[in-house]
Short mmCIF file of all heavy atoms in Angstrom, two decimals:
data_model
loop_
_atom_site.label_atom_id
_atom_site.label_comp_id
_atom_site.label_asym_id
_atom_site.label_seq_id
_atom_site.Cartn_x
_atom_site.Cartn_y
_atom_site.Cartn_z
N MET N 1 -1.22 46.24 25.78
CA MET N 1 -2.40 45.76 25.09
C MET N 1 -3.13 44.89 26.15
O MET N 1 -2.63 44.22 27.02
CB MET N 1 -1.96 44.80 24.01
CG MET N 1 -3.14 44.13 23.36
SD MET N 1 -2.50 42.97 22.14
CE MET N 1 -3.33 43.51 20.75
N TRP N 2 -4.50 45.07 26.16
CA TRP N 2 -5.39 44.38 27.03
C TRP N 2 -6.35 43.42 26.24
O TRP N 2 -6.85 43.87 25.22
CB TRP N 2 -6.19 45.30 27.88
CG TRP N 2 -5.45 46.27 28.71
CD1 TRP N 2 -4.91 47.49 28.26
CD2 TRP N 2 -4.82 46.03 29.94
NE1 TRP N 2 -4.26 48.12 29.26
CE2 TRP N 2 -4.08 47.25 30.34
CE3 TRP N 2 -4.88 45.03 30.84
CZ2 TRP N 2 -3.41 47.32 31.49
CZ3 TRP N 2 -4.20 45.17 32.07
CH2 TRP N 2 -3.44 46.26 32.37
N ALA N 3 -6.58 42.26 26.74
CA ALA N 3 -7.48 41.39 26.06
C ALA N 3 -8.38 40.63 27.06
O ALA N 3 -7.87 40.28 28.18
CB ALA N 3 -6.67 40.39 25.16
N LEU N 4 -9.51 40.19 26.65
CA LEU N 4 -10.41 39.51 27.54
C LEU N 4 -11.42 38.71 26.64
O LEU N 4 -11.73 39.20 25.54
CB LEU N 4 -11.21 40.48 28.39
CG LEU N 4 -12.17 39.97 29.49
CD1 LEU N 4 -11.29 39.23 30.52
CD2 LEU N 4 -12.86 41.08 30.14
N GLY N 5 -11.76 37.56 27.08
CA GLY N 5 -12.77 36.85 26.37
C GLY N 5 -12.38 35.41 26.11
O GLY N 5 -11.33 34.95 26.43
N ASP N 6 -13.14 34.78 25.30
CA ASP N 6 -12.92 33.34 25.05
C ASP N 6 -11.70 33.06 24.19
O ASP N 6 -11.11 31.98 24.39
CB ASP N 6 -14.16 32.74 24.22
CG ASP N 6 -15.39 32.70 25.00
OD1 ASP N 6 -15.37 32.70 26.24
OD2 ASP N 6 -16.48 32.50 24.41
N CYS N 7 -11.24 34.01 23.38
CA CYS N 7 -10.03 33.78 22.54
C CYS N 7 -8.79 34.33 23.24
O CYS N 7 -7.75 34.29 22.64
CB CYS N 7 -10.33 34.42 21.28
SG CYS N 7 -11.60 33.61 20.32
N ALA N 8 -8.84 34.93 24.36
CA ALA N 8 -7.76 35.49 24.98
C ALA N 8 -6.99 34.53 25.86
O ALA N 8 -7.56 33.75 26.60
CB ALA N 8 -8.15 36.70 25.99
N ALA N 9 -5.71 34.46 25.74
CA ALA N 9 -4.84 33.57 26.47
C ALA N 9 -4.32 34.42 27.67
O ALA N 9 -3.32 35.08 27.63
CB ALA N 9 -3.63 33.08 25.70
N VAL N 10 -5.00 34.27 28.76
CA VAL N 10 -4.74 35.10 29.95
C VAL N 10 -3.78 34.39 30.89
O VAL N 10 -4.08 33.28 31.40
CB VAL N 10 -6.09 35.47 30.74
CG1 VAL N 10 -5.77 36.27 31.97
CG2 VAL N 10 -7.02 36.20 29.85
N PRO N 11 -2.59 34.95 31.16
CA PRO N 11 -1.71 34.32 32.11
C PRO N 11 -2.21 34.43 33.52
O PRO N 11 -2.78 35.40 33.89
CB PRO N 11 -0.36 35.07 31.89
CG PRO N 11 -0.78 36.47 31.25
CD PRO N 11 -2.09 36.16 30.54
N ASN N 12 -1.95 33.41 34.26
CA ASN N 12 -2.48 33.38 35.67
C ASN N 12 -1.27 33.10 36.59
O ASN N 12 -0.66 32.06 36.40
CB ASN N 12 -3.52 32.24 35.82
CG ASN N 12 -4.16 32.16 37.15
OD1 ASN N 12 -3.65 32.79 38.19
ND2 ASN N 12 -5.22 31.48 37.24
N GLU N 13 -0.98 33.99 37.45
CA GLU N 13 0.12 33.81 38.31
C GLU N 13 -0.04 32.64 39.34
O GLU N 13 0.96 32.14 39.82
CB GLU N 13 0.40 35.03 39.20
CG GLU N 13 1.09 36.16 38.40
CD GLU N 13 1.73 37.27 39.30
OE1 GLU N 13 1.45 37.33 40.55
OE2 GLU N 13 2.51 38.01 38.81
N ALA N 14 -1.20 32.13 39.62
CA ALA N 14 -1.49 31.03 40.46
C ALA N 14 -1.07 29.69 39.71
O ALA N 14 -0.80 28.71 40.47
CB ALA N 14 -2.93 30.93 40.87
N THR N 15 -1.00 29.71 38.38
CA THR N 15 -0.58 28.51 37.69
C THR N 15 0.32 28.96 36.53
O THR N 15 -0.03 29.06 35.41
CB THR N 15 -1.89 27.87 37.03
OG1 THR N 15 -2.56 28.81 36.23
CG2 THR N 15 -2.82 27.29 38.06
N PRO N 16 1.61 29.19 36.95
CA PRO N 16 2.59 29.68 35.97
C PRO N 16 2.73 28.80 34.78
O PRO N 16 2.76 27.58 34.86
CB PRO N 16 3.89 29.68 36.77
CG PRO N 16 3.53 29.72 38.21
CD PRO N 16 2.13 29.02 38.18
N GLY N 17 2.84 29.37 33.60
CA GLY N 17 3.01 28.66 32.36
C GLY N 17 1.79 27.97 31.81
O GLY N 17 1.73 27.34 30.80
N VAL N 18 0.61 28.23 32.46
CA VAL N 18 -0.64 27.61 31.96
C VAL N 18 -1.68 28.74 31.89
O VAL N 18 -1.81 29.55 32.74
CB VAL N 18 -1.18 26.55 33.01
CG1 VAL N 18 -2.49 26.01 32.49
CG2 VAL N 18 -0.15 25.40 33.13
N THR N 19 -2.39 28.76 30.71
CA THR N 19 -3.39 29.78 30.59
C THR N 19 -4.72 29.21 31.20
O THR N 19 -4.90 28.01 31.24
CB THR N 19 -3.62 30.28 29.17
OG1 THR N 19 -3.85 29.08 28.39
CG2 THR N 19 -2.32 30.90 28.65
N ASP N 20 -5.69 30.13 31.47
CA ASP N 20 -6.92 29.71 32.10
C ASP N 20 -7.84 29.14 30.96
O ASP N 20 -7.85 29.66 29.83
CB ASP N 20 -7.59 30.84 32.78
CG ASP N 20 -6.91 31.15 34.11
OD1 ASP N 20 -6.24 30.39 34.67
OD2 ASP N 20 -7.18 32.37 34.53
N PRO N 21 -8.69 28.17 31.32
CA PRO N 21 -9.72 27.76 30.36
C PRO N 21 -10.82 28.80 30.15
O PRO N 21 -10.97 29.79 30.99
CB PRO N 21 -10.30 26.60 31.03
CG PRO N 21 -10.11 26.74 32.45
CD PRO N 21 -8.84 27.51 32.52
N ALA N 22 -11.47 28.74 29.04
CA ALA N 22 -12.57 29.69 28.78
C ALA N 22 -13.85 29.30 29.47
O ALA N 22 -14.80 28.84 28.89
CB ALA N 22 -12.72 29.77 27.23
N THR N 23 -13.88 29.57 30.77
CA THR N 23 -15.05 29.27 31.67
C THR N 23 -15.53 30.48 32.36
O THR N 23 -14.79 31.42 32.53
CB THR N 23 -14.79 28.10 32.67
OG1 THR N 23 -13.72 28.62 33.53
CG2 THR N 23 -14.35 26.82 32.02
N CYS N 24 -16.80 30.51 32.79
CA CYS N 24 -17.35 31.67 33.37
C CYS N 24 -16.59 32.04 34.66
O CYS N 24 -16.41 33.22 34.95
CB CYS N 24 -18.81 31.36 33.67
SG CYS N 24 -19.67 32.78 34.38
N GLN N 25 -16.25 31.11 35.49
CA GLN N 25 -15.58 31.45 36.72
C GLN N 25 -14.23 32.21 36.57
O GLN N 25 -13.92 33.08 37.28
CB GLN N 25 -15.37 30.25 37.70
CG GLN N 25 -14.33 29.17 37.22
CD GLN N 25 -14.01 28.15 38.21
OE1 GLN N 25 -13.64 28.49 39.39
NE2 GLN N 25 -14.19 26.97 37.93
N HIS N 26 -13.57 31.88 35.48
CA HIS N 26 -12.33 32.58 35.23
C HIS N 26 -12.64 33.94 34.53
O HIS N 26 -12.11 34.98 34.89
CB HIS N 26 -11.41 31.78 34.31
CG HIS N 26 -10.85 30.60 34.96
ND1 HIS N 26 -9.83 30.68 35.92
CD2 HIS N 26 -11.17 29.33 34.92
CE1 HIS N 26 -9.52 29.53 36.34
NE2 HIS N 26 -10.34 28.60 35.81
N ALA N 27 -13.55 33.94 33.54
CA ALA N 27 -13.91 35.15 32.81
C ALA N 27 -14.38 36.26 33.74
O ALA N 27 -14.08 37.45 33.53
CB ALA N 27 -14.98 34.84 31.73
N LEU N 28 -15.21 36.00 34.73
CA LEU N 28 -15.68 37.04 35.67
C LEU N 28 -14.58 37.62 36.36
O LEU N 28 -14.53 38.88 36.59
CB LEU N 28 -16.77 36.44 36.61
CG LEU N 28 -18.10 36.08 35.96
CD1 LEU N 28 -18.96 35.28 36.99
CD2 LEU N 28 -18.79 37.24 35.51
N ARG N 29 -13.65 36.83 36.87
CA ARG N 29 -12.53 37.32 37.68
C ARG N 29 -11.58 38.11 36.84
O ARG N 29 -10.95 39.11 37.23
CB ARG N 29 -11.90 36.23 38.47
CG ARG N 29 -12.74 35.79 39.55
CD ARG N 29 -12.47 34.31 40.03
NE ARG N 29 -13.31 33.95 41.20
CZ ARG N 29 -14.55 33.44 40.98
NH1 ARG N 29 -15.08 33.33 39.71
NH2 ARG N 29 -15.31 33.07 42.01
N GLN N 30 -11.30 37.68 35.59
CA GLN N 30 -10.45 38.36 34.67
C GLN N 30 -11.05 39.67 34.33
O GLN N 30 -10.28 40.75 34.25
CB GLN N 30 -10.33 37.55 33.43
CG GLN N 30 -9.52 36.23 33.53
CD GLN N 30 -9.60 35.36 32.32
OE1 GLN N 30 -10.22 35.66 31.31
NE2 GLN N 30 -9.03 34.20 32.43
N ALA N 31 -12.33 39.81 34.16
CA ALA N 31 -12.98 41.13 33.83
C ALA N 31 -12.85 42.09 35.08
O ALA N 31 -12.58 43.25 34.82
CB ALA N 31 -14.48 40.88 33.59
N ARG N 32 -12.99 41.56 36.23
CA ARG N 32 -12.83 42.43 37.43
C ARG N 32 -11.40 42.95 37.53
O ARG N 32 -11.15 44.09 37.86
CB ARG N 32 -13.19 41.67 38.70
CG ARG N 32 -14.68 41.47 38.88
CD ARG N 32 -15.01 40.85 40.17
NE ARG N 32 -16.30 40.22 40.13
CZ ARG N 32 -16.60 39.01 40.36
NH1 ARG N 32 -15.58 38.17 40.78
NH2 ARG N 32 -17.82 38.57 40.25
N ARG N 33 -10.45 42.07 37.32
CA ARG N 33 -8.95 42.44 37.40
C ARG N 33 -8.70 43.48 36.29
O ARG N 33 -7.98 44.42 36.54
CB ARG N 33 -8.12 41.25 37.28
CG ARG N 33 -6.59 41.47 37.07
CD ARG N 33 -6.02 42.32 38.17
NE ARG N 33 -6.28 42.02 39.45
CZ ARG N 33 -6.31 42.90 40.48
NH1 ARG N 33 -5.96 44.09 40.39
NH2 ARG N 33 -6.65 42.46 41.76
N LEU N 34 -9.23 43.29 35.05
CA LEU N 34 -8.94 44.26 33.98
C LEU N 34 -9.50 45.64 34.30
O LEU N 34 -8.86 46.58 34.05
CB LEU N 34 -9.53 43.68 32.67
CG LEU N 34 -9.42 44.62 31.46
CD1 LEU N 34 -8.00 44.86 31.10
CD2 LEU N 34 -10.04 43.95 30.29
N ALA N 35 -10.76 45.58 34.84
CA ALA N 35 -11.36 46.88 35.13
C ALA N 35 -10.59 47.58 36.26
O ALA N 35 -10.32 48.86 36.09
CB ALA N 35 -12.87 46.71 35.69
N ARG N 36 -10.04 46.91 37.24
CA ARG N 36 -9.25 47.53 38.19
C ARG N 36 -7.90 47.98 37.68
O ARG N 36 -7.37 49.12 38.04
CB ARG N 36 -8.93 46.53 39.41
CG ARG N 36 -10.12 46.40 40.37
CD ARG N 36 -9.65 45.54 41.52
NE ARG N 36 -10.85 44.68 41.85
CZ ARG N 36 -10.83 43.37 41.91
NH1 ARG N 36 -9.64 42.71 41.60
NH2 ARG N 36 -11.88 42.76 42.12
N ASN N 37 -7.33 47.27 36.74
CA ASN N 37 -6.04 47.58 36.12
C ASN N 37 -6.24 48.88 35.29
O ASN N 37 -5.32 49.67 35.19
CB ASN N 37 -5.48 46.46 35.27
CG ASN N 37 -4.86 45.39 36.11
OD1 ASN N 37 -4.73 45.58 37.27
ND2 ASN N 37 -4.67 44.25 35.52
N LEU N 38 -7.32 48.98 34.62
CA LEU N 38 -7.54 50.19 33.76
C LEU N 38 -7.84 51.37 34.61
O LEU N 38 -7.53 52.52 34.17
CB LEU N 38 -8.80 49.98 32.76
CG LEU N 38 -8.54 48.92 31.75
CD1 LEU N 38 -9.79 48.67 31.06
CD2 LEU N 38 -7.47 49.32 30.78
N ARG N 39 -8.34 51.29 35.81
CA ARG N 39 -8.54 52.44 36.65
C ARG N 39 -7.36 52.91 37.48
O ARG N 39 -7.22 54.04 37.95
CB ARG N 39 -9.72 52.16 37.71
CG ARG N 39 -10.99 52.11 37.09
CD ARG N 39 -12.12 52.11 38.13
NE ARG N 39 -11.92 50.98 39.10
CZ ARG N 39 -12.69 49.98 39.24
NH1 ARG N 39 -13.87 49.91 38.57
NH2 ARG N 39 -12.48 48.99 40.06
N GLY N 40 -6.43 52.03 37.71
CA GLY N 40 -5.28 52.40 38.57
C GLY N 40 -3.99 51.67 38.15
O GLY N 40 -3.80 51.42 36.99
N THR N 41 -3.23 51.31 39.21
CA THR N 41 -1.93 50.74 38.96
C THR N 41 -2.16 49.21 38.63
O THR N 41 -2.77 48.51 39.42
CB THR N 41 -1.05 50.79 40.19
OG1 THR N 41 -0.92 52.17 40.55
CG2 THR N 41 0.39 50.19 40.00
N PRO N 42 -1.74 48.72 37.52
CA PRO N 42 -1.99 47.34 37.14
C PRO N 42 -1.21 46.42 37.96
O PRO N 42 -0.15 46.54 38.46
CB PRO N 42 -1.31 47.28 35.62
CG PRO N 42 -1.22 48.67 35.16
CD PRO N 42 -1.04 49.55 36.45
N SER N 43 -1.91 45.28 38.21
CA SER N 43 -1.41 44.12 38.95
C SER N 43 -1.72 42.83 38.23
O SER N 43 -2.72 42.85 37.42
CB SER N 43 -1.80 44.15 40.38
OG SER N 43 -3.26 43.99 40.41
N ALA N 44 -0.97 41.85 38.46
CA ALA N 44 -1.25 40.54 37.68
C ALA N 44 -2.54 39.83 38.16
O ALA N 44 -2.91 40.01 39.29
CB ALA N 44 -0.04 39.64 37.88
N TYR N 45 -3.04 39.15 37.22
CA TYR N 45 -4.22 38.33 37.55
C TYR N 45 -3.79 37.08 38.28
O TYR N 45 -2.83 36.39 37.82
CB TYR N 45 -4.94 37.96 36.19
CG TYR N 45 -5.97 36.92 36.35
CD1 TYR N 45 -7.20 37.26 36.97
CD2 TYR N 45 -5.82 35.62 35.77
CE1 TYR N 45 -8.21 36.21 37.04
CE2 TYR N 45 -6.81 34.68 35.86
CZ TYR N 45 -8.03 35.01 36.58
OH TYR N 45 -8.93 34.01 36.66
N ARG N 46 -4.48 36.70 39.34
CA ARG N 46 -4.19 35.49 40.06
C ARG N 46 -5.50 34.82 40.57
O ARG N 46 -6.21 35.58 41.31
CB ARG N 46 -3.29 35.90 41.20
CG ARG N 46 -2.84 34.74 42.10
CD ARG N 46 -1.87 35.14 43.22
NE ARG N 46 -1.51 34.05 44.03
CZ ARG N 46 -0.46 33.20 43.64
NH1 ARG N 46 0.21 33.53 42.59
NH2 ARG N 46 -0.13 32.25 44.35
N TYR N 47 -5.74 33.61 40.21
CA TYR N 47 -6.91 32.92 40.71
C TYR N 47 -6.65 31.39 40.66
O TYR N 47 -6.22 30.94 39.63
CB TYR N 47 -8.21 33.35 39.88
CG TYR N 47 -9.35 32.53 40.28
CD1 TYR N 47 -9.96 32.78 41.41
CD2 TYR N 47 -9.89 31.56 39.41
CE1 TYR N 47 -11.16 32.04 41.83
CE2 TYR N 47 -11.01 30.79 39.81
CZ TYR N 47 -11.61 31.08 41.04
OH TYR N 47 -12.74 30.33 41.43
N ARG N 48 -6.95 30.78 41.72
CA ARG N 48 -6.89 29.22 41.70
C ARG N 48 -8.30 28.66 41.63
O ARG N 48 -9.14 29.02 42.33
CB ARG N 48 -6.27 28.78 43.05
CG ARG N 48 -5.87 27.31 42.97
CD ARG N 48 -4.94 26.97 44.04
NE ARG N 48 -3.62 27.59 44.01
CZ ARG N 48 -2.56 27.28 43.32
NH1 ARG N 48 -2.66 26.37 42.37
NH2 ARG N 48 -1.44 28.04 43.43
N THR N 49 -8.57 27.87 40.62
CA THR N 49 -9.82 27.36 40.35
C THR N 49 -10.47 26.59 41.49
O THR N 49 -9.66 25.95 42.28
CB THR N 49 -9.83 26.46 39.12
OG1 THR N 49 -11.14 26.10 38.73
CG2 THR N 49 -9.03 25.25 39.21
N ARG N 50 -11.74 26.62 41.62
CA ARG N 50 -12.47 25.87 42.66
C ARG N 50 -12.92 24.57 42.16
O ARG N 50 -13.39 23.68 42.97
CB ARG N 50 -13.64 26.61 43.14
CG ARG N 50 -13.16 27.98 43.82
CD ARG N 50 -14.32 28.83 44.27
NE ARG N 50 -13.88 30.04 44.84
CZ ARG N 50 -14.69 31.01 45.12
NH1 ARG N 50 -15.96 30.91 44.92
NH2 ARG N 50 -14.15 32.13 45.58
N GLY N 51 -12.89 24.31 40.87
CA GLY N 51 -13.31 23.03 40.30
C GLY N 51 -14.16 23.17 39.06
O GLY N 51 -14.23 24.29 38.56
N SER N 52 -14.61 22.08 38.52
CA SER N 52 -15.36 22.05 37.27
C SER N 52 -16.54 21.12 37.43
O SER N 52 -16.47 20.10 38.16
CB SER N 52 -14.56 21.57 36.09
OG SER N 52 -13.43 22.48 35.92
N MET N 53 -17.61 21.47 36.78
CA MET N 53 -18.84 20.56 36.78
C MET N 53 -19.36 20.48 35.36
O MET N 53 -19.29 21.35 34.62
CB MET N 53 -19.90 21.11 37.77
CG MET N 53 -19.41 21.12 39.18
SD MET N 53 -20.54 21.88 40.39
CE MET N 53 -22.14 21.27 39.95
N ALA N 54 -20.09 19.36 35.16
CA ALA N 54 -20.75 19.16 33.88
C ALA N 54 -21.99 18.23 34.02
O ALA N 54 -21.85 17.30 34.85
CB ALA N 54 -19.81 18.62 32.80
N THR N 55 -23.00 18.50 33.17
CA THR N 55 -24.16 17.52 33.29
C THR N 55 -23.98 16.44 32.27
O THR N 55 -23.31 16.71 31.22
CB THR N 55 -25.43 18.26 33.01
OG1 THR N 55 -25.37 18.83 31.74
CG2 THR N 55 -25.77 19.32 34.01
N LEU N 56 -24.44 15.26 32.55
CA LEU N 56 -24.24 14.08 31.68
C LEU N 56 -25.62 13.63 31.29
O LEU N 56 -25.74 12.42 30.80
CB LEU N 56 -23.42 13.00 32.29
CG LEU N 56 -22.01 13.43 32.65
CD1 LEU N 56 -21.34 12.21 33.45
CD2 LEU N 56 -21.14 13.70 31.47
N GLY N 57 -26.64 14.30 31.45
CA GLY N 57 -27.94 13.95 31.20
C GLY N 57 -28.91 14.03 32.35
O GLY N 57 -28.51 14.73 33.36
N ARG N 58 -29.96 13.45 32.33
CA ARG N 58 -30.99 13.55 33.33
C ARG N 58 -30.50 12.97 34.67
O ARG N 58 -30.16 11.79 34.75
CB ARG N 58 -32.30 12.81 32.93
CG ARG N 58 -33.44 13.14 33.72
CD ARG N 58 -34.63 12.54 33.04
NE ARG N 58 -35.77 13.19 33.72
CZ ARG N 58 -37.07 12.77 33.41
NH1 ARG N 58 -37.20 11.70 32.56
NH2 ARG N 58 -38.04 13.30 34.05
N ARG N 59 -30.39 13.77 35.69
CA ARG N 59 -30.00 13.44 37.07
C ARG N 59 -28.61 12.88 37.14
O ARG N 59 -28.26 12.27 38.17
CB ARG N 59 -30.98 12.43 37.69
CG ARG N 59 -32.40 12.96 37.83
CD ARG N 59 -33.22 11.85 38.51
NE ARG N 59 -33.02 10.59 37.85
CZ ARG N 59 -33.94 9.79 37.45
NH1 ARG N 59 -35.21 10.16 37.48
NH2 ARG N 59 -33.66 8.68 36.86
N HIS N 60 -27.74 13.07 36.17
CA HIS N 60 -26.33 12.62 36.22
C HIS N 60 -25.42 13.76 35.93
O HIS N 60 -25.69 14.69 35.19
CB HIS N 60 -26.16 11.50 35.16
CG HIS N 60 -26.97 10.27 35.41
ND1 HIS N 60 -26.95 9.59 36.62
CD2 HIS N 60 -27.83 9.63 34.68
CE1 HIS N 60 -27.79 8.58 36.51
NE2 HIS N 60 -28.36 8.64 35.36
N GLY N 61 -24.25 13.78 36.50
CA GLY N 61 -23.30 14.77 36.38
C GLY N 61 -21.90 14.27 36.79
O GLY N 61 -21.74 13.18 37.35
N ILE N 62 -20.91 15.11 36.52
CA ILE N 62 -19.53 14.78 36.96
C ILE N 62 -18.88 16.07 37.49
O ILE N 62 -19.31 17.17 36.98
CB ILE N 62 -18.74 14.21 35.76
CG1 ILE N 62 -17.39 13.72 36.30
CG2 ILE N 62 -18.65 15.23 34.65
CD1 ILE N 62 -16.74 12.82 35.23
N ALA N 63 -18.05 15.95 38.40
CA ALA N 63 -17.46 17.13 39.01
C ALA N 63 -16.01 16.89 39.45
O ALA N 63 -15.67 15.77 39.83
CB ALA N 63 -18.29 17.63 40.22
N VAL N 64 -15.14 17.93 39.42
CA VAL N 64 -13.84 17.93 39.98
C VAL N 64 -13.84 19.12 40.97
O VAL N 64 -13.89 20.21 40.48
CB VAL N 64 -12.74 18.07 38.92
CG1 VAL N 64 -11.42 18.19 39.59
CG2 VAL N 64 -12.78 16.96 37.92
N VAL N 65 -13.87 18.79 42.26
CA VAL N 65 -14.07 19.84 43.23
C VAL N 65 -12.91 19.88 44.16
O VAL N 65 -12.51 18.92 44.77
CB VAL N 65 -15.30 19.61 44.12
CG1 VAL N 65 -15.58 20.65 45.20
CG2 VAL N 65 -16.59 19.42 43.25
N GLY N 66 -12.22 21.17 44.10
CA GLY N 66 -11.11 21.39 44.96
C GLY N 66 -9.93 20.29 44.80
O GLY N 66 -9.31 19.99 45.89
N GLY N 67 -9.78 19.74 43.69
CA GLY N 67 -8.69 18.88 43.47
C GLY N 67 -9.00 17.36 43.98
O GLY N 67 -8.15 16.53 43.83
N LEU N 68 -10.20 17.18 44.36
CA LEU N 68 -10.53 15.73 44.73
C LEU N 68 -10.91 14.94 43.51
O LEU N 68 -11.36 15.31 42.45
CB LEU N 68 -11.83 15.84 45.52
CG LEU N 68 -11.71 16.55 46.87
CD1 LEU N 68 -13.05 16.64 47.67
CD2 LEU N 68 -10.63 15.88 47.80
#
């Protein structure tokens, strides 16, 4: 069974025991891995996040970049 999207709990070999959050950076990579798996020999999804960002209003924001 294959699943993808906001409601899919996708296991990530880079973070064992933790599923990825429903963010664009993960969804794009999950989609590419799923497409490759459907075309050939399946391999596990593996991606280490680069960080997260959010806006807090006009000219303000917050970020977690590379574990800093």
Side-chain angles (χ1 to χ4, degrees):
M1 176 187 234
W2 301 92
L4 183 67
D6 291 345
C7 295
V10 179
N12 185 344
E13 281 198 349
T15 56
V18 179
T19 57
D20 286 341
T23 60
C24 184
Q25 70 171 302
H26 292 283
L28 290 172
R29 286 158 182 85
Q30 291 167 3
R32 287 186 199 123
R33 171 54 49 205
L34 177 59
R36 283 188 219 118
N37 284 349
L38 292 173
R39 284 192 308 244
T41 305
S43 62
Y45 168 73
R46 178 178 185 82
Y47 176 70
R48 190 164 304 275
T49 187
R50 296 179 183 171
S52 301
M53 295 174 46
T55 61
L56 299 175
R58 194 172 193 188
R59 297 183 314 233
H60 299 305
I62 188 167
V64 176
V65 182
L68 298 176

